C-alpha cells in the first residue's frame, strides 16, 4: 500500500504540479522570463566554452564516456543526460525571444551534439523542424503534437531496437515485461509500483522475480539504479494500453491549457511545444516526469504558458481551467 501510494504521488506530481503552478504564476510579468533568459545565456556560453576545451583537450572531469570517437561532454553533472535536460530548458527560455534560430540556439545545438546522447540529437531535429514549419503561427495543435510524437519515435526507434536486441539488458527486460503485463492485465495494467519505477525497485515488485529481472545487473534488489530507464514501459506496464493512450491525452490537454492564452503569432507556442517534444523523446529512455526533473519541467512550462507577450500580468485563465 505504501509503495502504491508513493508511486501514485510520483505519477501525479507533473500534471497536478503543472496545473497548480500555472494558477499560481498566472500574474507573472514578462520581465521574469527575460531575466531567466539572461541567466540561460550565461550558462550556455560557459557550457560551450568548457565543451570546446574538452573537445580539444579532453578533461576527465568534463567527460563521461567515449562515443563514436568523441568524449561525451557532461560538464559538472554526473551524467550527460542531466546536461541535455538543462540545455533544453535554457533553449526553451531563449527561443521565445526570436522569430528564428539565433546564435545562442545554435550554441545549444553544439553543446547537445557534444553530449553524444541520442535524445539530444532527436531534440535538435524537432527544434529545427518546428522552426522551419512555423508552428507558432498555426492553430492545428493535435496535428503537430502527433507529428512531434511520430518524429520522436522515429528518431528514438533505432536506439530502442538496439536495446531490445541486447538480451537481458535493463531496458529490453522492462519493455518486454511491461508489454506482457499489459496483455496479462488488460485493459488496466498491473497497477502502481509494479514495474519500471524507482519505487518498484525500492519495494521490489514481484514482477521482477517473475520475469527474471532480479538477476540483471543494476536491476537487483540491492542495486536497482536502472529501474527508471524506460519511461513508456512504466506507463504501459502500470496502466495498460488504454492507460498509455490516456496518458498521451493528458499531455495533449496540458499543452492545450498552456497555449490557450498564447497568441498564434507568439514564440511562446514554439517554446512550449518543443518542451513537450522533449518529453516524448526522453520517455523512451527514462521516467522523465516521475523523477525530480518532472517538477523542473512543470515550473518552466508554467512560466512559458503564463507569460503572454504584451500583457501586464493578471491573465484571466478561466476558460483554460474549465477546459481542463
Amino acid at each position: 500500500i505504501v509503495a502504491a501510494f508513493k508511486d501514485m504521488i510520483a505519477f501525479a506530481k507533473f500534471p497536478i504540479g503543472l496545473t497548480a503552478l500555472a494558477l499560481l504564476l498566472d500574474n507573472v510579468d514578462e520581465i521574469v522570463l527575460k531575466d531567466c533568459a539572461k541567466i540561460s545565456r550565461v550558462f550556455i556560453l560557459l557550457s560551450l566554452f568548457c565543451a570546446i576545451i574538452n573537445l580539444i583537450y579532453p578533461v576527465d572531469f568534463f567527460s563521461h564516456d567515449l562515443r563514436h570517437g568523441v568524449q561525451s561532454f557532461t560538464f559538472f553533472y554526473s551524467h550527460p543526460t542531466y546536461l541535455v535536460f538543462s540545455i533544453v530548458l535554457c533553449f526553451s527560455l531563449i527561443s521565445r525571444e526570436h522569430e528564428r534560430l539565433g546564435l545562442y540556439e545554435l550554441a545549444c545545438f553544439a553543446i547537445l551534439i557534444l553530449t553524444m546522447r541520442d535524445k539530444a540529437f532527436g531534440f535538435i531535429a524537432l527544434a529545427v523542424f518546428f522552426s522551419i514549419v512555423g508552428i507558432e503561427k498555426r492553430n492545428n495543435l493535435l496535428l503537430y503534437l502527433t507529428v512531434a510524437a511520430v518524429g520522436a519515435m522515429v528518431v528514438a526507434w533505432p536506439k530502442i531496437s538496439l536495446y531490445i536486441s541486447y538480451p537481458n539488458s535493463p531496458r529490453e527486460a522492462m519493455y518486454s515485461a511491461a508489454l506482457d503485463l499489459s496483455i496479462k492485465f488488460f485493459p488496466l495494467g498491473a497497477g502502481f509500483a509494479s514495474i519500471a519505477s524507482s519505487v518498484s525497485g525500492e519495494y521490489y515488485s514481484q514482477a521482477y522475480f517473475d520475469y527474471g529481472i532480479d538477476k540483471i545487473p543494476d536491476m537487483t534488489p540491492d542495486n536497482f539504479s536502472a529501474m527508471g530507464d524506460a519511461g513508456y514501459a512504466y506507463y504501459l506496464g502500470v496502466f495498460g494500453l488504454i492507460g498509455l493512450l490516456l496518458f498521451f491525452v493528458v499531455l495533449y490537454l496540458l499543452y492545450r491549457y498552456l497555449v490557450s492564452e498564447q497568441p498564434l503569432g507568439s514564440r511562446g507556442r514554439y517554446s512550449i511545444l518543443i518542451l513537450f517534444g522533449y518529453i516524448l523523446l526522453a520517455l523512451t529512455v527514462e521516467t522523465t516526469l516521475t523523477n525530480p526533473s518532472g517538477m523542473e519541467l512543470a515550473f518552466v512550462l508554467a512560466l512559458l504558458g503564463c507569460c503572454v507577450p504584451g500583457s501586464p500580468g493578471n491573465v484571466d485563465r478561466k476558460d483554460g481551467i474549465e477546459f481542463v
Side-chain angles (χ1 to χ4, degrees), residues 69-81:
V70 178
Q71 287 287 346
S72 60
F73 181 57
T74 189
F75 204 12
F76 55 79
Y77 294 96
S78 60
H79 194 278
T81 190

Side-chain angles (χ1 to χ4, degrees), residues 96-115:
R96 69 178 296 276
E97 298 184 347
H98 309 288
E99 286 296 322
R100 295 297 175 188
L101 298 176
L103 291 178
Y104 282 97
E105 286 87 343
L106 295 178
C108 288
F109 291 163
I111 299 168
L112 290 172
I113 290 172
L114 292 176
T115 65

Side-chain angles (χ1 to χ4, degrees), residues 116 134 196 230 252:
M116 302 305 292
Y252 173 66

Side-chain angles (χ1 to χ4, degrees), residues 10-21:
F11 161 76
K13 69 179 181 180
F14 177 75
I16 294 179
L18 176 55
T19 307
L21 283 166

